[in-house]
Amino acid sequence: MTNKKEPKTYIITEEVLSRIRETVGSQIPETGGILGSSDGKHVDHFYFDVTASVTGATYEPDCDKLNLIIQKWYEKGIEFVGFIHSHPRGAVKPSDPDNLYTTKIMKAFEMEWFVSLIVQVHRSLKGEKAKLFAYGYYLADPCCYFEFGRIDEKNPSFEFPAIDLDADWNCSYQEALAKKYPFSKDELNERNKELFPANVLARKTLVVFGTGGSIGFVLDMARSGVTNFILVDGDKFEPHNMSNQRVTYSDIGKSKVEALKERILNINMEAEVRNFCEFLDNSITDEDFEKLIGDQLHKNSKDILICACTDRFEAQARLAALAMKYGTPFMAPQIYAGGVGAEVAFSYPGVTPSCPRCVLKSRYDAYKNGYKNTVTSECTPISAITHANALEGQIALMLLLYHEGDNRYATMLDKVSNRNLALIKMSPDAENVLGINLFHDAVDDTYSFFGEVVWIPQVPVSEANGFDEDCPLCHGSGDLTTLIGKITDTRRCMEWKE
């Protein structure tokens, strides 16, 4: 394999395009076949994988049969040059599984070039209405395919550009983006430069545990100017995530943190993103957490925002305790069953008198008494999650920019410091479903229906404030800075009283 490649052009013949439309283009999505060339320039051979295992959502090639066809082609001087398969409507790019499959093929056949055609089948299943999109690979690298755009009978050709493998083989994803999109950071931030203090946000770090439903929120932070991210989630994207998370077809099967990292870098290629594909459980000690965050945790803890976006309450409780121990701002969003409502609890040492455990006392008590959560994201509309993400973004900026210069967010927290639980009504029947009257009490029905946000007054949980006992986490002191460095092991957050 040569280290430098000159431009290479392929032209798909009318006969092959016609056969593709008659087969792949005329059937339900997820069928495919292989492509061949007799002269290294024209894609003039196509074999339809008629014996593949297909479901309309998945495609498993008949590898034995395809290998036999490739061998027969080879004997006749026909080169195997690529693969073709169809995707559901709206998915016109290779998915991550597609890229991994391409990697295996290129390694197995020692291919220097690889053509990938994605067919967008028309709802009528009429082949003449199917759309074809061409992609090309030089190397078995999922991040380095070239988009050649749509091809048809009038535009059947596409060209691989020249490339220097010595220069590009070890190129990082960020470096690849920088070569492809030579925009300056100032150009990208032009419209927000008067709104967000870029120099302040550049030193802040967003630590996000749980990166499924929080995708929109995290990307909004990247667009707002946050450049440092730590992402923690042990899960992968599955097909069912498509309905209520900002997932695309190409994300399925991919690590959630890796997929989100790529999206952040596609917004700001200079961002620093550290991702950890793991869950927060008792195998992770407080010392492990310190190593994960780094020196900033002890030097400038107020510059770190811990976001408990996980749907496991035990993990949220642990993160709240970690935020109290190390003196960082904290935010925990939660979507209610069916997306009828949502909440965002938040705290800031020295500003909010009530700790997260004070704010969510009833929930802690319920878990202490044996409650088991059965709520999932089923029947939750994506619009509800988007609504919650928007509020999360505003609250996050309020915490990150607290008393940081002259901007609209700098003094917001002072106005709601004792109301650090925000509830969103996202359905007209939210009060009946949830069994609460807070929205009705706070906003006159004459002017409300749904979409309202109410900020619930909070007091530290203490005997002095009329509770049966002091809060096990903050003791109801009203000053969260007194907890910094005092909690010995946050893994006991659901049981202890320090």
Side-chain angles (χ1 to χ4, degrees), residues 21-67:
R21 293 188 184 282
E22 291 171 0
T23 53
V24 179
S26 300
Q27 301 193 29
I28 62 173
E30 298 297 352
T31 63
I34 53 176
L35 303 167
S37 174
S38 60
D39 61 3
K41 182 175 182 180
H42 292 86
V43 179
D44 49 11
H45 283 73
F46 163 67
Y47 175 79
F48 178 54
D49 190 6
V50 68
T51 54
S53 176
V54 299
T55 67
T58 60
Y59 167 48
E60 293 185 24
D62 184 345
C63 294
D64 291 337
K65 182 64 175 180
L66 295 182
N67 285 332

mmCIF file of all heavy atoms in Angstrom, residues 21-67:
data_model
loop_
_atom_site.group_PDB
_atom_site.id
_atom_site.type_symbol
_atom_site.label_atom_id
_atom_site.label_comp_id
_atom_site.label_asym_id
_atom_site.label_seq_id
_atom_site.Cartn_x
_atom_site.Cartn_y
_atom_site.Cartn_z
ATOM 1 N N ARG A 21 -31.631 0.175 -8.801
ATOM 2 C CA ARG A 21 -32.998 0.682 -8.628
ATOM 3 C C ARG A 21 -34.009 -0.471 -8.668
ATOM 4 O O ARG A 21 -35.005 -0.464 -7.944
ATOM 5 C CB ARG A 21 -33.319 1.710 -9.704
ATOM 6 C CG ARG A 21 -32.493 2.996 -9.584
ATOM 7 C CD ARG A 21 -32.964 4.059 -10.545
ATOM 8 N NE ARG A 21 -32.129 5.248 -10.506
ATOM 9 C CZ ARG A 21 -32.198 6.190 -9.564
ATOM 10 N NH1 ARG A 21 -33.072 6.055 -8.570
ATOM 11 N NH2 ARG A 21 -31.411 7.245 -9.603
ATOM 12 N N GLU A 22 -33.748 -1.470 -9.501
ATOM 13 C CA GLU A 22 -34.665 -2.595 -9.625
ATOM 14 C C GLU A 22 -34.642 -3.504 -8.397
ATOM 15 O O GLU A 22 -35.622 -4.208 -8.132
ATOM 16 C CB GLU A 22 -34.294 -3.433 -10.858
ATOM 17 C CG GLU A 22 -34.547 -2.739 -12.180
ATOM 18 C CD GLU A 22 -33.953 -3.522 -13.351
ATOM 19 O OE1 GLU A 22 -33.360 -4.601 -13.090
ATOM 20 O OE2 GLU A 22 -34.071 -3.051 -14.491
ATOM 21 N N THR A 23 -33.555 -3.492 -7.663
ATOM 22 C CA THR A 23 -33.393 -4.417 -6.526
ATOM 23 C C THR A 23 -33.413 -3.662 -5.198
ATOM 24 O O THR A 23 -34.462 -3.538 -4.566
ATOM 25 C CB THR A 23 -32.082 -5.211 -6.680
ATOM 26 O OG1 THR A 23 -30.989 -4.289 -6.875
ATOM 27 C CG2 THR A 23 -32.170 -6.151 -7.871
ATOM 28 N N VAL A 24 -32.290 -3.123 -4.793
ATOM 29 C CA VAL A 24 -32.186 -2.417 -3.510
ATOM 30 C C VAL A 24 -33.170 -1.257 -3.425
ATOM 31 O O VAL A 24 -33.806 -1.028 -2.387
ATOM 32 C CB VAL A 24 -30.750 -1.896 -3.287
ATOM 33 C CG1 VAL A 24 -30.648 -1.140 -1.962
ATOM 34 C CG2 VAL A 24 -29.750 -3.043 -3.320
ATOM 35 N N GLY A 25 -33.327 -0.529 -4.518
ATOM 36 C CA GLY A 25 -34.192 0.654 -4.504
ATOM 37 C C GLY A 25 -35.667 0.359 -4.531
ATOM 38 O O GLY A 25 -36.488 1.271 -4.380
ATOM 39 N N SER A 26 -36.049 -0.906 -4.736
ATOM 40 C CA SER A 26 -37.467 -1.260 -4.850
ATOM 41 C C SER A 26 -37.954 -2.151 -3.712
ATOM 42 O O SER A 26 -39.043 -2.719 -3.794
ATOM 43 C CB SER A 26 -37.717 -1.975 -6.185
ATOM 44 O OG SER A 26 -37.370 -1.148 -7.272
ATOM 45 N N GLN A 27 -37.151 -2.256 -2.671
ATOM 46 C CA GLN A 27 -37.536 -3.098 -1.536
ATOM 47 C C GLN A 27 -37.457 -2.303 -0.242
ATOM 48 O O GLN A 27 -36.913 -1.195 -0.202
ATOM 49 C CB GLN A 27 -36.630 -4.335 -1.469
ATOM 50 C CG GLN A 27 -36.695 -5.193 -2.734
ATOM 51 C CD GLN A 27 -36.059 -6.556 -2.534
ATOM 52 O OE1 GLN A 27 -36.049 -7.093 -1.435
ATOM 53 N NE2 GLN A 27 -35.533 -7.117 -3.623
ATOM 54 N N ILE A 28 -38.014 -2.877 0.817
ATOM 55 C CA ILE A 28 -37.968 -2.194 2.110
ATOM 56 C C ILE A 28 -36.515 -1.966 2.505
ATOM 57 O O ILE A 28 -35.619 -2.669 2.025
ATOM 58 C CB ILE A 28 -38.699 -3.003 3.192
ATOM 59 C CG1 ILE A 28 -38.016 -4.374 3.382
ATOM 60 C CG2 ILE A 28 -40.164 -3.153 2.865
ATOM 61 C CD1 ILE A 28 -38.574 -5.164 4.552
ATOM 62 N N PRO A 29 -36.226 -0.975 3.378
ATOM 63 C CA PRO A 29 -34.843 -0.673 3.751
ATOM 64 C C PRO A 29 -34.098 -1.871 4.336
ATOM 65 O O PRO A 29 -34.703 -2.821 4.821
ATOM 66 C CB PRO A 29 -35.002 0.437 4.798
ATOM 67 C CG PRO A 29 -36.300 1.077 4.470
ATOM 68 C CD PRO A 29 -37.178 -0.043 3.992
ATOM 69 N N GLU A 30 -32.782 -1.739 4.271
ATOM 70 C CA GLU A 30 -31.830 -2.726 4.786
ATOM 71 C C GLU A 30 -31.720 -3.956 3.899
ATOM 72 O O GLU A 30 -31.862 -5.094 4.331
ATOM 73 C CB GLU A 30 -32.157 -3.101 6.234
ATOM 74 C CG GLU A 30 -32.083 -1.953 7.228
ATOM 75 C CD GLU A 30 -30.684 -1.342 7.356
ATOM 76 O OE1 GLU A 30 -29.725 -1.887 6.789
ATOM 77 O OE2 GLU A 30 -30.556 -0.304 8.033
ATOM 78 N N THR A 31 -31.487 -3.699 2.604
ATOM 79 C CA THR A 31 -31.018 -4.728 1.684
ATOM 80 C C THR A 31 -29.743 -4.186 1.059
ATOM 81 O O THR A 31 -29.419 -3.007 1.205
ATOM 82 C CB THR A 31 -32.052 -5.043 0.580
ATOM 83 O OG1 THR A 31 -32.253 -3.870 -0.225
ATOM 84 C CG2 THR A 31 -33.383 -5.477 1.187
ATOM 85 N N GLY A 32 -29.001 -5.031 0.339
ATOM 86 C CA GLY A 32 -27.753 -4.523 -0.201
ATOM 87 C C GLY A 32 -27.093 -5.456 -1.183
ATOM 88 O O GLY A 32 -27.688 -6.424 -1.665
ATOM 89 N N GLY A 33 -25.817 -5.169 -1.459
ATOM 90 C CA GLY A 33 -25.057 -5.962 -2.401
ATOM 91 C C GLY A 33 -23.639 -5.447 -2.508
ATOM 92 O O GLY A 33 -23.214 -4.590 -1.732
ATOM 93 N N ILE A 34 -22.900 -5.941 -3.491
ATOM 94 C CA ILE A 34 -21.499 -5.559 -3.658
ATOM 95 C C ILE A 34 -21.284 -4.952 -5.043
ATOM 96 O O ILE A 34 -22.066 -5.168 -5.973
ATOM 97 C CB ILE A 34 -20.562 -6.761 -3.462
ATOM 98 C CG1 ILE A 34 -20.957 -7.931 -4.359
ATOM 99 C CG2 ILE A 34 -20.552 -7.183 -1.996
ATOM 100 C CD1 ILE A 34 -20.000 -9.118 -4.273
ATOM 101 N N LEU A 35 -20.192 -4.175 -5.165
ATOM 102 C CA LEU A 35 -19.873 -3.449 -6.396
ATOM 103 C C LEU A 35 -18.521 -3.892 -6.934
ATOM 104 O O LEU A 35 -17.595 -4.165 -6.159
ATOM 105 C CB LEU A 35 -19.844 -1.940 -6.103
ATOM 106 C CG LEU A 35 -21.122 -1.335 -5.498
ATOM 107 C CD1 LEU A 35 -20.831 0.070 -4.982
ATOM 108 C CD2 LEU A 35 -22.244 -1.316 -6.520
ATOM 109 N N GLY A 36 -18.403 -3.946 -8.265
ATOM 110 C CA GLY A 36 -17.146 -4.340 -8.878
ATOM 111 C C GLY A 36 -16.788 -3.476 -10.068
ATOM 112 O O GLY A 36 -17.650 -2.814 -10.658
ATOM 113 N N SER A 37 -15.506 -3.483 -10.399
ATOM 114 C CA SER A 37 -15.016 -2.691 -11.538
ATOM 115 C C SER A 37 -14.071 -3.538 -12.377
ATOM 116 O O SER A 37 -13.161 -4.189 -11.843
ATOM 117 C CB SER A 37 -14.288 -1.438 -11.051
ATOM 118 O OG SER A 37 -13.702 -0.739 -12.128
ATOM 119 N N SER A 38 -14.274 -3.510 -13.698
ATOM 120 C CA SER A 38 -13.418 -4.291 -14.597
ATOM 121 C C SER A 38 -12.209 -3.504 -15.092
ATOM 122 O O SER A 38 -11.267 -4.088 -15.636
ATOM 123 C CB SER A 38 -14.228 -4.771 -15.808
ATOM 124 O OG SER A 38 -14.761 -3.660 -16.533
ATOM 125 N N ASP A 39 -12.227 -2.165 -14.900
ATOM 126 C CA ASP A 39 -11.119 -1.357 -15.409
ATOM 127 C C ASP A 39 -10.540 -0.398 -14.381
ATOM 128 O O ASP A 39 -9.683 0.432 -14.699
ATOM 129 C CB ASP A 39 -11.553 -0.571 -16.646
ATOM 130 C CG ASP A 39 -12.706 0.400 -16.357
ATOM 131 O OD1 ASP A 39 -13.119 0.505 -15.181
ATOM 132 O OD2 ASP A 39 -13.189 1.039 -17.309
ATOM 133 N N GLY A 40 -10.993 -0.465 -13.118
ATOM 134 C CA GLY A 40 -10.471 0.417 -12.088
ATOM 135 C C GLY A 40 -11.040 1.812 -12.130
ATOM 136 O O GLY A 40 -10.666 2.666 -11.331
ATOM 137 N N LYS A 41 -11.970 2.049 -13.043
ATOM 138 C CA LYS A 41 -12.567 3.378 -13.169
ATOM 139 C C LYS A 41 -14.093 3.313 -13.180
ATOM 140 O O LYS A 41 -14.759 4.111 -12.502
ATOM 141 C CB LYS A 41 -12.077 4.067 -14.432
ATOM 142 C CG LYS A 41 -12.622 5.477 -14.616
ATOM 143 C CD LYS A 41 -12.009 6.167 -15.835
ATOM 144 C CE LYS A 41 -12.531 7.595 -15.970
ATOM 145 N NZ LYS A 41 -11.938 8.284 -17.143
ATOM 146 N N HIS A 42 -14.634 2.369 -13.941
ATOM 147 C CA HIS A 42 -16.091 2.248 -14.022
ATOM 148 C C HIS A 42 -16.602 1.183 -13.059
ATOM 149 O O HIS A 42 -16.062 0.066 -13.035
ATOM 150 C CB HIS A 42 -16.510 1.884 -15.451
ATOM 151 C CG HIS A 42 -16.268 2.962 -16.442
ATOM 152 N ND1 HIS A 42 -15.049 3.116 -17.090
ATOM 153 C CD2 HIS A 42 -17.081 3.963 -16.898
ATOM 154 C CE1 HIS A 42 -15.118 4.158 -17.904
ATOM 155 N NE2 HIS A 42 -16.338 4.690 -17.811
ATOM 156 N N VAL A 43 -17.601 1.543 -12.281
ATOM 157 C CA VAL A 43 -18.281 0.556 -11.449
ATOM 158 C C VAL A 43 -19.330 -0.082 -12.356
ATOM 159 O O VAL A 43 -20.426 0.449 -12.548
ATOM 160 C CB VAL A 43 -18.935 1.204 -10.206
ATOM 161 C CG1 VAL A 43 -19.665 0.153 -9.380
ATOM 162 C CG2 VAL A 43 -17.873 1.906 -9.370
ATOM 163 N N ASP A 44 -18.943 -1.219 -12.965
ATOM 164 C CA ASP A 44 -19.779 -1.819 -14.006
ATOM 165 C C ASP A 44 -20.310 -3.206 -13.623
ATOM 166 O O ASP A 44 -20.857 -3.911 -14.478
ATOM 167 C CB ASP A 44 -19.013 -1.893 -15.323
ATOM 168 C CG ASP A 44 -17.627 -2.494 -15.176
ATOM 169 O OD1 ASP A 44 -17.330 -3.056 -14.101
ATOM 170 O OD2 ASP A 44 -16.831 -2.388 -16.126
ATOM 171 N N HIS A 45 -20.133 -3.586 -12.356
ATOM 172 C CA HIS A 45 -20.667 -4.861 -11.877
ATOM 173 C C HIS A 45 -21.378 -4.659 -10.537
ATOM 174 O O HIS A 45 -20.905 -3.893 -9.688
ATOM 175 C CB HIS A 45 -19.554 -5.895 -11.723
ATOM 176 C CG HIS A 45 -19.101 -6.478 -13.027
ATOM 177 N ND1 HIS A 45 -18.343 -5.763 -13.922
ATOM 178 C CD2 HIS A 45 -19.322 -7.690 -13.593
ATOM 179 C CE1 HIS A 45 -18.095 -6.511 -14.992
ATOM 180 N NE2 HIS A 45 -18.684 -7.693 -14.813
ATOM 181 N N PHE A 46 -22.487 -5.335 -10.394
ATOM 182 C CA PHE A 46 -23.266 -5.248 -9.152
ATOM 183 C C PHE A 46 -23.919 -6.605 -8.906
ATOM 184 O O PHE A 46 -24.494 -7.211 -9.815
ATOM 185 C CB PHE A 46 -24.340 -4.163 -9.270
ATOM 186 C CG PHE A 46 -25.429 -4.264 -8.222
ATOM 187 C CD1 PHE A 46 -25.148 -4.048 -6.882
ATOM 188 C CD2 PHE A 46 -26.736 -4.587 -8.589
ATOM 189 C CE1 PHE A 46 -26.156 -4.146 -5.929
ATOM 190 C CE2 PHE A 46 -27.742 -4.693 -7.647
ATOM 191 C CZ PHE A 46 -27.453 -4.468 -6.305
ATOM 192 N N TYR A 47 -23.786 -7.076 -7.677
ATOM 193 C CA TYR A 47 -24.455 -8.314 -7.283
ATOM 194 C C TYR A 47 -25.392 -8.000 -6.118
ATOM 195 O O TYR A 47 -24.966 -7.467 -5.091
ATOM 196 C CB TYR A 47 -23.457 -9.385 -6.864
ATOM 197 C CG TYR A 47 -24.137 -10.638 -6.342
ATOM 198 C CD1 TYR A 47 -24.680 -11.575 -7.223
ATOM 199 C CD2 TYR A 47 -24.269 -10.852 -4.972
ATOM 200 C CE1 TYR A 47 -25.338 -12.700 -6.743
ATOM 201 C CE2 TYR A 47 -24.925 -11.979 -4.488
ATOM 202 C CZ TYR A 47 -25.457 -12.899 -5.376
ATOM 203 O OH TYR A 47 -26.119 -14.005 -4.903
ATOM 204 N N PHE A 48 -26.680 -8.332 -6.289
ATOM 205 C CA PHE A 48 -27.683 -8.108 -5.255
ATOM 206 C C PHE A 48 -27.673 -9.287 -4.277
ATOM 207 O O PHE A 48 -27.783 -10.449 -4.683
ATOM 208 C CB PHE A 48 -29.068 -7.965 -5.880
ATOM 209 C CG PHE A 48 -30.175 -7.783 -4.881
ATOM 210 C CD1 PHE A 48 -30.120 -6.771 -3.930
ATOM 211 C CD2 PHE A 48 -31.279 -8.633 -4.881
ATOM 212 C CE1 PHE A 48 -31.141 -6.599 -3.004
ATOM 213 C CE2 PHE A 48 -32.301 -8.475 -3.969
ATOM 214 C CZ PHE A 48 -32.231 -7.450 -3.024
ATOM 215 N N ASP A 49 -27.538 -8.960 -3.002
ATOM 216 C CA ASP A 49 -27.445 -9.977 -1.948
ATOM 217 C C ASP A 49 -28.834 -10.524 -1.628
ATOM 218 O O ASP A 49 -29.419 -10.236 -0.579
ATOM 219 C CB ASP A 49 -26.796 -9.349 -0.707
ATOM 220 C CG ASP A 49 -26.439 -10.371 0.355
ATOM 221 O OD1 ASP A 49 -26.581 -11.577 0.093
ATOM 222 O OD2 ASP A 49 -26.016 -9.942 1.456
ATOM 223 N N VAL A 50 -29.339 -11.351 -2.516
ATOM 224 C CA VAL A 50 -30.715 -11.826 -2.418
ATOM 225 C C VAL A 50 -30.911 -12.809 -1.267
ATOM 226 O O VAL A 50 -32.025 -12.978 -0.758
ATOM 227 C CB VAL A 50 -31.151 -12.475 -3.753
ATOM 228 C CG1 VAL A 50 -30.384 -13.768 -4.004
ATOM 229 C CG2 VAL A 50 -32.656 -12.720 -3.780
ATOM 230 N N THR A 51 -29.852 -13.455 -0.811
ATOM 231 C CA THR A 51 -29.968 -14.444 0.266
ATOM 232 C C THR A 51 -29.598 -13.880 1.635
ATOM 233 O O THR A 51 -29.422 -14.628 2.591
ATOM 234 C CB THR A 51 -29.077 -15.660 -0.043
ATOM 235 O OG1 THR A 51 -27.735 -15.206 -0.296
ATOM 236 C CG2 THR A 51 -29.608 -16.422 -1.243
ATOM 237 N N ALA A 52 -29.475 -12.559 1.746
ATOM 238 C CA ALA A 52 -29.149 -11.931 3.035
ATOM 239 C C ALA A 52 -30.303 -12.091 4.016
ATOM 240 O O ALA A 52 -31.443 -12.356 3.637
ATOM 241 C CB ALA A 52 -28.850 -10.452 2.820
ATOM 242 N N SER A 53 -29.985 -11.906 5.289
ATOM 243 C CA SER A 53 -31.012 -11.920 6.330
ATOM 244 C C SER A 53 -31.418 -10.475 6.607
ATOM 245 O O SER A 53 -30.614 -9.678 7.098
ATOM 246 C CB SER A 53 -30.466 -12.566 7.609
ATOM 247 O OG SER A 53 -31.406 -12.501 8.655
ATOM 248 N N VAL A 54 -32.662 -10.108 6.266
ATOM 249 C CA VAL A 54 -33.116 -8.720 6.422
ATOM 250 C C VAL A 54 -34.419 -8.679 7.214
ATOM 251 O O VAL A 54 -35.221 -9.618 7.159
ATOM 252 C CB VAL A 54 -33.323 -8.036 5.054
ATOM 253 C CG1 VAL A 54 -32.024 -8.001 4.277
ATOM 254 C CG2 VAL A 54 -34.390 -8.757 4.246
ATOM 255 N N THR A 55 -34.612 -7.565 7.969
ATOM 256 C CA THR A 55 -35.835 -7.401 8.757
ATOM 257 C C THR A 55 -36.540 -6.094 8.477
ATOM 258 O O THR A 55 -37.610 -5.841 8.998
ATOM 259 C CB THR A 55 -35.520 -7.457 10.263
ATOM 260 O OG1 THR A 55 -34.727 -6.299 10.614
ATOM 261 C CG2 THR A 55 -34.774 -8.724 10.628
ATOM 262 N N GLY A 56 -35.944 -5.224 7.696
ATOM 263 C CA GLY A 56 -36.490 -3.879 7.519
ATOM 264 C C GLY A 56 -35.817 -2.892 8.438
ATOM 265 O O GLY A 56 -35.855 -1.683 8.225
ATOM 266 N N ALA A 57 -35.170 -3.433 9.496
ATOM 267 C CA ALA A 57 -34.416 -2.577 10.427
ATOM 268 C C ALA A 57 -32.965 -3.017 10.512
ATOM 269 O O ALA A 57 -32.110 -2.262 10.959
ATOM 270 C CB ALA A 57 -35.047 -2.616 11.812
ATOM 271 N N THR A 58 -32.676 -4.252 10.080
ATOM 272 C CA THR A 58 -31.312 -4.765 10.108
ATOM 273 C C THR A 58 -31.008 -5.499 8.811
ATOM 274 O O THR A 58 -31.907 -5.994 8.129
ATOM 275 C CB THR A 58 -31.110 -5.731 11.289
ATOM 276 O OG1 THR A 58 -32.018 -6.839 11.146
ATOM 277 C CG2 THR A 58 -31.353 -5.039 12.620
ATOM 278 N N TYR A 59 -29.721 -5.574 8.492
ATOM 279 C CA TYR A 59 -29.257 -6.258 7.288
ATOM 280 C C TYR A 59 -28.010 -7.058 7.638
ATOM 281 O O TYR A 59 -26.996 -6.494 8.052
ATOM 282 C CB TYR A 59 -28.967 -5.218 6.197
ATOM 283 C CG TYR A 59 -28.183 -5.750 5.013
ATOM 284 C CD1 TYR A 59 -28.541 -6.941 4.390
ATOM 285 C CD2 TYR A 59 -27.086 -5.050 4.515
ATOM 286 C CE1 TYR A 59 -27.827 -7.428 3.299
ATOM 287 C CE2 TYR A 59 -26.372 -5.514 3.427
ATOM 288 C CZ TYR A 59 -26.747 -6.706 2.820
ATOM 289 O OH TYR A 59 -26.036 -7.189 1.746
ATOM 290 N N GLU A 60 -28.095 -8.363 7.502
ATOM 291 C CA GLU A 60 -26.950 -9.242 7.719
ATOM 292 C C GLU A 60 -26.582 -9.883 6.385
ATOM 293 O O GLU A 60 -27.321 -10.741 5.875
ATOM 294 C CB GLU A 60 -27.270 -10.323 8.753
ATOM 295 C CG GLU A 60 -27.484 -9.777 10.157
ATOM 296 C CD GLU A 60 -27.678 -10.882 11.167
ATOM 297 O OE1 GLU A 60 -27.207 -12.012 10.904
ATOM 298 O OE2 GLU A 60 -28.295 -10.627 12.207
ATOM 299 N N PRO A 61 -25.467 -9.471 5.776
ATOM 300 C CA PRO A 61 -25.093 -10.004 4.464
ATOM 301 C C PRO A 61 -24.860 -11.517 4.509
ATOM 302 O O PRO A 61 -24.470 -12.070 5.541
ATOM 303 C CB PRO A 61 -23.788 -9.253 4.148
ATOM 304 C CG PRO A 61 -23.799 -8.057 5.037
ATOM 305 C CD PRO A 61 -24.520 -8.472 6.274
ATOM 306 N N ASP A 62 -25.101 -12.156 3.390
ATOM 307 C CA ASP A 62 -24.754 -13.572 3.233
ATOM 308 C C ASP A 62 -23.283 -13.619 2.839
ATOM 309 O O ASP A 62 -22.934 -13.645 1.650
ATOM 310 C CB ASP A 62 -25.631 -14.216 2.158
ATOM 311 C CG ASP A 62 -25.389 -15.705 2.020
ATOM 312 O OD1 ASP A 62 -24.366 -16.185 2.544
ATOM 313 O OD2 ASP A 62 -26.209 -16.390 1.377
ATOM 314 N N CYS A 63 -22.409 -13.605 3.824
ATOM 315 C CA CYS A 63 -20.971 -13.458 3.580
ATOM 316 C C CYS A 63 -20.404 -14.605 2.728
ATOM 317 O O CYS A 63 -19.539 -14.375 1.877
ATOM 318 C CB CYS A 63 -20.230 -13.363 4.909
ATOM 319 S SG CYS A 63 -20.633 -11.862 5.842
ATOM 320 N N ASP A 64 -20.884 -15.818 2.971
ATOM 321 C CA ASP A 64 -20.372 -16.953 2.200
ATOM 322 C C ASP A 64 -20.652 -16.772 0.711
ATOM 323 O O ASP A 64 -19.774 -16.987 -0.138
ATOM 324 C CB ASP A 64 -21.009 -18.253 2.701
ATOM 325 C CG ASP A 64 -20.545 -18.623 4.101
ATOM 326 O OD1 ASP A 64 -19.456 -18.158 4.493
ATOM 327 O OD2 ASP A 64 -21.254 -19.377 4.784
ATOM 328 N N LYS A 65 -21.874 -16.379 0.395
ATOM 329 C CA LYS A 65 -22.246 -16.177 -1.001
ATOM 330 C C LYS A 65 -21.486 -15.004 -1.616
ATOM 331 O O LYS A 65 -20.982 -15.085 -2.753
ATOM 332 C CB LYS A 65 -23.755 -15.931 -1.104
ATOM 333 C CG LYS A 65 -24.270 -15.764 -2.525
ATOM 334 C CD LYS A 65 -24.088 -17.029 -3.346
ATOM 335 C CE LYS A 65 -24.720 -16.896 -4.719
ATOM 336 N NZ LYS A 65 -24.544 -18.113 -5.537
ATOM 337 N N LEU A 66 -21.387 -13.899 -0.862
ATOM 338 C CA LEU A 66 -20.686 -12.717 -1.384
ATOM 339 C C LEU A 66 -19.212 -13.011 -1.620
ATOM 340 O O LEU A 66 -18.630 -12.561 -2.618
ATOM 341 C CB LEU A 66 -20.868 -11.532 -0.427
ATOM 342 C CG LEU A 66 -22.286 -10.996 -0.257
ATOM 343 C CD1 LEU A 66 -22.284 -9.795 0.675
ATOM 344 C CD2 LEU A 66 -22.899 -10.622 -1.604
ATOM 345 N N ASN A 67 -18.592 -13.749 -0.721
ATOM 346 C CA ASN A 67 -17.179 -14.098 -0.905
ATOM 347 C C ASN A 67 -16.992 -14.967 -2.146
ATOM 348 O O ASN A 67 -15.987 -14.839 -2.867
ATOM 349 C CB ASN A 67 -16.651 -14.828 0.332
ATOM 350 C CG ASN A 67 -16.420 -13.890 1.501
ATOM 351 O OD1 ASN A 67 -16.156 -12.704 1.312
ATOM 352 N ND2 ASN A 67 -16.522 -14.400 2.713
#
